[in-house]
Amino acid sequence: MDIDSHWLARRFAEHKPRQDDQRSPLQRDKARIMHSAAFRRLQAKTQVLGVGMNDFYRTRLTHSLEAAQIGTGIAAQLRRNSPEFAELIGSDNLIESLCLAHDLGHPPYGHGGEVALNYMMRDHGGFEGNGQTFRILTRLEPYTREYGMNLTRRTLLGILKYPVLMSALGSRAPRQGVDNFRQLKAEQWLPGKGVFDDDADLLSWVLEPFSDADRQLLTRTRSNPVGQQRAQFHSLDCSIMELADDIAYSVHDLEDAIVMGIVNYRSWRENVAEPIAGIDGTYLAGQMETIGKKLFSDEHHLRKDAIGTLVNAFVTHSRIVAQGKFESPLLSHHAVIEPAYAECLGYLKRFVLQYVIRKPEVQILEYKGQQIVMELFEAFASDPNRLLPRSTQKRWQAACEQGHSGHRVIADYISGMTDEFAARLHQNLFTPKSGNLAELHSPF
């Protein structure tokens, strides 16, 4: 397969002669992502800790920037370790684009907002942040009239962590809704991982160059430990982005938690340092005591040195392995972290999940955001032509006229909000003696 001829194509053929423009198609993709309104809004969306609680820790925007830096480091390491794959591995512009764009579809209030929208969309195709990212890139972001950012096929393939339609996924969610939003149990409404059926035509276009056998294998599904259905495979480019995301999430979110005093040295030693010290085949095993002392030091430069040591360990021990029985080289190879270091990263991920994300104080903020999102959705769905911004009203009417669910348009609108905008809008709608005549704006 000639990768360039197929994968640099755009869904809508563009004719934009620009004097002395020397950029490659993938450089243009990166520029479109960085200059998009969806990307800018990440600066006011929760990563783990609520936006506005402190000006130190990560937002979705800074997390995405850090993931992009890590992603290009992984790509450089893979080219060095496996020079035979150097031409296959995406350019730095491609890897940066994927990392910068990977969180565009996440709604306000983190996973609380995602669960809320999935619940409200339970009879209309569901909601999931990665599927929304794909929708923003291919349909919503107004770089073009109808084709979103109109990115190259290679970039769109790389962003597809779960290249399967939501209708192909089983659901563990209850059949019935709850009597009151406050009774909703988030773990019962975790979304499946896939592309919305509304965007089936876009997924088909991205996967078109693959053989029938490759497409069939690529859309196989599996269930993760908490019962969420997801695709079993994705592309080499996507695997690099996913590794970068995992490293950034596990290491940098840990740094935020330490500085904010959310985790302590004792829990770190018991749950991370001591288990890693017992793992054979990694130099981190002998470094954990030193790393821990630096992480919890009052000297910021020592903490940064420890963070750098951890990131470097995972980046420099990444490699390419074969996956599945695919014909296309873009699918038959996969980036992974060497087993001993993957085990180390797993301890970090579980530590952040247990002692940061699941901390009651953090979950209270998620729960609050969850309620805000569901109540906003209920209000807009009750009378869209009265409450939605005019541009969103037109999209809602057009969707209904075409036989689609207008609920998807409402989900698009709310998912594009920042945390602060959603909170202000909720206050205007539901708080007595609050509100103003400021014009609503639509993210798309």
Side-chain angles (χ1 to χ4, degrees), residues 52-115:
M53 290 174 61
N54 190 286
D55 61 2
F56 167 81
Y57 50 71
R58 273 83 180 173
T59 65
R60 290 275 180 190
L61 180 66
T62 57
H63 162 75
S64 299
L65 292 169
E66 289 173 333
Q69 184 269 326
I70 293 172
T72 55
I74 293 172
Q77 193 69 34
L78 295 176
R79 295 186 194 103
R80 177 182 178 182
N81 293 345
S82 304
E84 67 274 24
F85 294 117
E87 187 173 349
L88 178 65
I89 296 169
S91 71
D92 283 354
N93 285 304
L94 172 63
I95 301 303
E96 286 185 295
S97 291
L98 302 182
C99 294
L100 293 172
H102 81 281
D103 269 352
L104 291 183
H106 281 272
Y109 303 108
H111 293 292
E114 186 178 43
V115 165

Side-chain angles (χ1 to χ4, degrees), residues 290-291 294-295 300-310:
T290 300
I291 288 174
K294 289 182 177 180
L295 283 175
H300 290 289
H301 71 280
L302 294 178
R303 187 182 305 114
K304 298 306 295 186
D305 181 65
I307 293 296
T309 298
L310 290 170

Side-chain angles (χ1 to χ4, degrees), residues 129-313:
N130 295 284
Q132 189 68 16
T133 293
F134 183 69
R135 185 169 170 82
I136 288 171
L137 296 175
T138 57
R139 195 184 296 279
L140 298 180
E141 182 68 29
Y143 184 86
T144 63
R145 182 182 294 274
E146 298 178 355
Y147 301 97
M149 295 189 200
N150 198 34
L151 304 179
T152 62
R153 186 184 263 125
R154 177 92 184 244
T155 297
L156 294 176
L157 176 68
I159 207 68
L160 282 169
K161 290 178 68 173
Y162 312 107
V164 61
L165 292 177
M166 295 286 276
S167 59
L169 305 174
S171 174
R172 294 174 62 251
R175 291 181 179 271
Q176 299 296 324
V178 295
D179 293 332
N180 187 291
F181 290 155
R182 295 181 182 180
Q183 300 172 352
L184 188 75
K185 289 181 170 56
E187 69 272 10
Q188 294 180 348
W189 294 95
L190 297 174
K193 300 290 187 178
V195 173
F196 306 135
D197 284 44
D198 292 332
D199 302 319
D201 58 327
L202 302 168
L203 178 62
S204 295
W205 181 83
V206 174
L207 303 184
E208 185 179 299
F210 292 131
S211 67
D212 290 342
D214 274 3
R215 285 197 297 270
Q216 185 174 3
L217 182 57
L218 186 61
T219 54
R220 284 188 182 178
T221 62
R222 61 181 173 86
S223 179
N224 72 357
V226 296
Q228 290 172 295
Q229 291 292 310
R230 58 182 62 190
Q232 189 172 351
F233 302 108
H234 49 229
S235 69
L236 171 63
D237 304 332
C238 187
S239 70
I240 296 173
M241 176 268 286
E242 190 171 40
L243 281 185
D245 185 26
D246 279 353
I247 294 170
Y249 151 75
S250 302
V251 179
H252 292 138
D253 289 353
L254 170 66
E255 180 185 10
D256 286 357
I258 291 172
V259 173
M260 296 295 293
I262 293 175
V263 297
N264 57 50
Y265 182 67
R266 179 180 177 181
S267 61
W268 156 267
R269 284 199 63 175
E270 292 176 353
N271 295 278
V272 180
E274 292 176 1
I276 289 179
I279 298 175
D280 294 329
T282 163
Y283 75 82
L284 283 178
Q287 295 288 320
M288 293 313 294
E289 184 173 353
T290 300
I291 288 174
K293 289 180 179 178
K294 289 182 177 180
L295 283 175
F296 289 87
S297 169
D298 291 333
E299 299 289 338
H300 290 289
H301 71 280
L302 294 178
R303 187 182 305 114
K304 298 306 295 186
D305 181 65
I307 293 296
T309 298
L310 290 170
V311 171
N312 178 73

